[in-house]
Amino acid sequence: TIVGAHLHAAGALVTTVAEPSLISGVSPDAMAEIPLDIAHAGASKWSVISIAGRALYACHDGIVAVEGSSPSMALSDRFFTREVWRDRCGAGLASMQFARYDGKLIVFSKTGAFVPFMIDLSEGGEMTDLPQLVASTAAVLTTSDQMYVVTGTTLRQFGGGSMLPLRWATGDIVLAAPAALAVAQVECTGDFTIRFYQKDRLGYTKTVGSGETTFYLPSEPRDGHSGLEPSDRWKFEISGTGRFKRLRAAASIRGLKDI
């Protein structure tokens, strides 16, 4: 029984209540079915999409990515275990919808059953929660490559309008040996606050404005901060409003140039 389908390569990816299949060929009367070697049923007919030559669909254990005729769970495994996926999205699998925005995958529930999120599909890409996204459906206008969402009876441009506040944090960054960070550099547009943590201890907080800002990190308590000692476990948190481009930190100014 077919669950969903989407254009892919020279045909379509079709998800079913069992394994998916590729339907391919050069003309409608000469199509062939190629079962894919992955035993993951499709979760909903709206959660099948093709982005940058790769087809993706939601299953009950995560997200399956198909490149050519090779299916894989590697993308999903970067962000979810089976238990995490089911705890987070299990109540909304039947209403889950996929959309694409600027090469990224947007995942939301048409009924608001879970917090929407966005996954950057590039190598080393990140996952970002979108708690303010409320949508019953989404589509991309191909003439402008812009995504729109429907909220109630209103059509809204995704990524348009004024900037919204953001908060982003890394996980624990574990090093092979303790390292001292003495200088950092931030490039952004807007106003942001950066917090530097060592083993969950807040050591330093810095607020910056638009442009490129280079600043030193105190190694001893100063101005109400506890200071940053050498550590093998670091974490960074960024909050503010605007566009944040990058944060770099090193043991010296020369070290920043090598990043």
Side-chain angles (χ1 to χ4, degrees), residues 82-166:
R82 175 189 297 181
E83 291 74 20
V84 169
W85 174 261
R86 293 185 177 185
D87 286 345
R88 175 170 185 147
C89 304
L93 285 176
S95 61
M96 181 177 284
Q97 181 166 340
F98 284 0
R100 63 177 176 88
Y101 172 73
D102 195 24
K104 301 176 179 64
L105 173 67
I106 310 291
V107 181
F108 63 95
S109 164
K110 298 162 72 71
T111 62
F114 57 83
V115 176
F117 55 92
M118 176 172 66
I119 294 178
D120 185 344
L121 299 179
S122 62
E123 185 176 353
E126 301 289 342
M127 172 178 154
T128 305
D129 282 346
L130 303 172
Q132 294 180 306
L133 174 62
V134 178
S136 57
T137 192
V140 173
L141 182 63
T142 55
T143 54
S144 63
D145 197 30
Q146 177 61 54
M147 182 179 124
Y148 292 85
V149 299
V150 175
T151 304
T153 58
T154 304
L155 184 67
R156 301 180 185 276
Q157 179 183 340
F158 185 86
S162 58
M163 296 288 183
L164 296 174
L166 67 87

Side-chain angles (χ1 to χ4, degrees), residues 174-216:
V174 181
L175 306 179
L181 297 181
V183 63
Q185 187 178 78
V186 171
E187 187 175 351
C188 64
T189 302
D191 297 302
F192 289 91
T193 298
I194 300 95
R195 295 177 176 86
F196 297 81
Y197 290 87
Q198 295 174 308
K199 299 181 180 178
D200 294 324
R201 179 184 70 88
L202 177 60
Y204 186 61
T205 301
K206 178 69 174 180
T207 299
V208 299
S210 296
E212 185 176 276
T213 305
T214 302
F215 53 93
Y216 288 97

Side-chain angles (χ1 to χ4, degrees), residues 7 12 14 36 79 113-114 126 149-150 152 159 181 196-197 225 228 247 259:
L7 296 175
V14 178
L36 298 182
F79 306 103
F114 57 83
E126 301 289 342
V149 299
V150 175
L181 297 181
F196 297 81
Y197 290 87
H225 299 103
L228 296 171
L247 164 66
I259 299 178

